[in-house]
Amino acid sequence: HLGDMGAVWLILALLLLLSKSTRKASLAIFCALIFSLLLNNIGLKNLFERDRPCQIDGVLIDLICPADASFPSGHAASSFASAFAVWFLNDPKLKPLSLLMIGLASAIAYSRIFLNVHYPSDCLAGLFVGLLCGYWAAHAVKLFKLIHNHS
């Protein structure tokens, strides 16, 4: 449940908000999560409406089986969006953090396959959605800073 509703990423963003030197990363994570929610969970999941493996595979015992659509994985999308948002800021001080975040995002995505709530393609699509949302978020933060500095 670590990635449920982006909780781990929201907590991290709140912690990063405490230091002036990491506020840009905090804002990038918040933006990435919003972009991921809109594109992935509200947009693509409703467009594809793919059943989860646990919904159609009555053989395995499932620990959890969410009711929403499977494709793309929201956990993977929000996790990778947060990690790549920090990565794309291109701040050398934040690179180690972003690498740890990518590792955690990968573990969360794998856990979704392991728990039989997503197909591998769901998590791969979530990775690509996250990559896109992370890119957008980092550039939105850079644009905001540029506009803010010129006002």
Side-chain angles (χ1 to χ4, degrees):
H1 294 287
L2 188 62
D4 287 357
M5 298 183 339
V8 68
W9 309 115
L10 288 170
I11 292 167
L12 177 61
L14 289 171
L15 291 173
L16 292 172
L17 195 57
L18 297 175
S19 171
K20 188 175 181 177
S21 67
T22 56
R23 284 194 186 131
K24 191 166 49 170
S26 175
L27 183 58
I29 292 170
F30 284 126
C31 287
L33 289 170
I34 291 168
F35 292 157
S36 176
L37 174 70
L38 294 173
L39 178 60
N40 196 79
N41 293 47
I42 294 174
L44 296 173
K45 277 185 179 274
N46 290 314
L47 178 67
F48 290 105
E49 294 184 342
R50 183 182 195 181
D51 287 338
R52 294 174 179 274
C54 57
Q55 292 169 328
I56 58 176
D57 180 16
V59 178
L60 297 174
I61 298 171
D62 297 306
L63 300 174
I64 56 173
C65 193
D68 66 333
S70 182
F71 184 87
S73 166
H75 280 73
S78 64
S79 296
F80 283 112
S82 298
F84 284 123
V86 176
W87 175 267
F88 283 123
L89 288 174
N90 290 321
D91 183 339
K93 297 181 312 258
L94 296 172
K95 284 299 178 189
L97 174 63
S98 65
L99 289 173
L100 287 171
M101 292 173 70
I102 290 169
L104 181 56
S106 299
I108 288 172
Y110 174 75
S111 77
R112 307 306 288 170
I113 298 164
F114 181 80
L115 292 170
N116 200 38
V117 295
H118 281 293
Y119 296 101
S121 58
D122 298 339
C123 292
L124 186 61
L127 183 150
F128 285 115
V129 169
L131 184 68
L132 184 62
C133 291
Y135 179 82
W136 288 342
H139 287 281
V141 167
K142 289 177 185 178
L143 181 62
F144 174 77
K145 185 176 180 190
L146 182 68
I147 292 169
H148 187 282
N149 287 342
H150 284 91
S151 7

